[in-house]
Each structure stands twice: as C-alpha cells, then as structure tokens.
Amino acid sequence: MCRWAAYIGQPIFLEDIISRPGHSLIRQSQCATQCHTAINADGFGIAWYGEKPEPGLYRDAMPAWSDQNLKSLTATVKSRLFLAHVRASTGTASSRNNCHPFTHGRWSFMHNGQIGGYDAFRRAAEMMIPDDLYPFRRGATDSEALFLVAISEGLEQDPKGALERATARFEALARARGHAPYLRLTAALADGERLYAVRYSSDDQAPTLYHRWSDSRMGQAVVSEPLEEGEHDWSEIPQGAFCTFEGRDVRIEPFRPVACSIAA
C-alpha cells in the first residue's frame, strides 16, 4: 500500500514533512513500517497551495528518493496546506498520470488502500464518471475514478457526504463483482482552505492514519505513519471516521457510506 502525509497551518517548507524528519515520507518510500509493502517506489506527487486558489502539482513515476528536483523543490517552497504521496501500485502501470495527488479546480485528493477485484469491474466503475468530468480522467487508477465520482456526488458543497456516497458506490461494485477485502481507504482531500481526511474499511483492517498538532510549527500534520521514531504524541484516527482540519481545530465525525445495490 501507499504512504502519504498532509499538512495545514502556518507556512512551512515542504521538506519539513517530506524529507527532513527521521521517518519522513521519503524515508517511508524506502522503509515503511506500518503497512504490508515496505517499499513505495512506483511514483510520488505533491499538491500545494500558494497565492492562487488552485494547487500546484508535481508528480513523477520514479522513486521519490532518487529525484533531485523533488529535493530542491521541497527545500525552497513554503506552503500553508499541502498533500504528498509515495505510491505502491496495486496493479495499474507506473506512470505520471497514475501518481497521486489528483487535482480538479481548487480540489486535491490522494488515497491509500485498495478496492478488491477492481480489474473485474473497471468498466463499470468508469461508467460512474459523468460525461462532463470524464475528460479529466487522465490515468487508470481506482483512486482517480473515486475522486471524480465524489466530485459528481457534490464534493464542492458536501465533502463528507459526497465521499460517503462515492465510496458506497465503489464498495457495492466490489461486493457484487470483486472480492474481499472489498474496500480499504485512507484519503486526504483539500479545497485550499481546509484539509479533510478519512479512514474507513469494509472489514476491520483500515490502513493506519495519525494526526498531530505542532506548537513549534503552528500546524497540523496528518500522516500514514508518525514522522519520527519514538514519538508518542500522535493521535490515531479511528476507523470509520471523517476528519476536518481547519487551523488547530479538528472535527471528527462518523464516516458511513450509504449502502446501495449494484447489479451483478
């Protein structure tokens, strides 16, 4: 599975999350400790917010640890809100278009997890993307498809409800045509003002997810794995939770995808 990290708060250099900590995201791309896949070498990406409403985006299919441009970018760019991801493919090709985060307008989105048996119902999943959004389908991942379906379900007005409805549709497809585990999900999304995160699974094995406020940085980090070994002040996000981060405030609500039926 993939690893990711997100931040919201006072502007910091991207490297303060992505490369400088002892168990930074780049370190996790080489040696993750809380997932089945220790190596996450199938690409990486960063979406960050600056002066414009839309995020900047930098992605590549090479391993994060080998990209000198990434090191230079993270050392010189500051942001108050950003998403970063290192990828371990669950079946789709290693290409730039399949690297997270994905963006649309002011929204950015990244995902870790799996949708069981996706290859068996990929065409049906593609059909859930409306015609007006399908031109924005650049890659072949289930993650990008989930993001576009969430947009069609009203992400702009109701982020939690839209993601619940989109997740329910994908889980129903997996139950009807795929295989267990039907859906495991941690995801982060941002609209330029707020950071949202979700941890959910159709079984009791949701991928790990933590958050922590830093008084020194005056910001909140949300991560797949703690950024330093031995730090014990990270709070684990419970399974079945949707979180809204705005400044220091954290709101945690139940995440309950609404059941729906899909013809087998």
Side-chain angles (χ1 to χ4, degrees), residues 77-244:
V77 172
K78 275 188 170 183
S79 176
R80 57 184 169 77
L81 174 56
F82 60 89
L83 280 60
H85 187 280
V86 291
R87 182 172 183 250
S89 173
T90 55
T92 50
S94 296
S95 69
R96 184 174 291 140
N97 283 337
N98 285 337
C99 292
H100 308 223
F102 306 100
T103 63
H104 180 77
R106 67 190 182 111
W107 285 93
S108 54
F109 174 87
M110 61 185 177
H111 166 233
N112 169 41
Q114 63 192 102
I115 300 174
Y118 182 72
D119 282 347
F121 55 84
R122 180 180 297 180
R123 183 173 180 273
E126 297 269 334
M127 294 294 290
M128 293 194 297
I129 303 172
D131 288 346
D132 62 327
L133 288 173
Y134 199 80
F136 300 98
R137 173 70 154 153
R138 307 297 187 193
T141 65
D142 50 1
S143 305
E144 185 188 37
L146 176 64
F147 177 43
L148 292 172
V149 172
I151 293 171
S152 75
E153 289 286 352
L155 189 67
E156 188 72 34
Q157 298 78 28
D158 179 17
K160 175 176 172 287
L163 193 56
E164 283 177 326
R165 291 186 289 273
T167 299
R169 295 176 70 181
F170 276 81
E171 184 174 346
L173 268 176
R175 288 183 181 276
R177 307 184 189 182
H179 56 71
Y182 299 114
L183 195 145
R184 291 176 179 168
L185 165 76
T186 63
L189 54 159
D191 61 5
E193 299 296 331
R194 287 161 294 275
L195 172 65
Y196 306 94
V198 62
R199 184 182 182 212
Y200 172 79
S201 180
S202 58
D203 58 15
D204 62 352
Q205 300 296 317
T208 55
L209 195 61
Y210 303 86
H211 72 94
R212 177 178 181 264
W213 172 264
S214 170
D215 286 327
S216 59
R217 293 191 180 109
M218 294 299 292
Q220 189 96 225
V222 187
V223 299
S224 296
E225 300 184 13
L227 298 176
E228 295 286 356
E229 301 289 352
E231 283 185 338
H232 302 296
D233 55 347
W234 290 88
S235 298
E236 185 175 13
I237 293 172
Q239 296 197 56
F242 183 90
C243 305
T244 303

Side-chain angles (χ1 to χ4, degrees), residues 248-262:
R248 190 166 188 161
D249 296 331
V250 182
R251 185 169 74 252
I252 300 179
E253 304 171 85
F255 184 79
R256 299 190 180 110
V258 179
C260 59
S261 61
I262 300 290

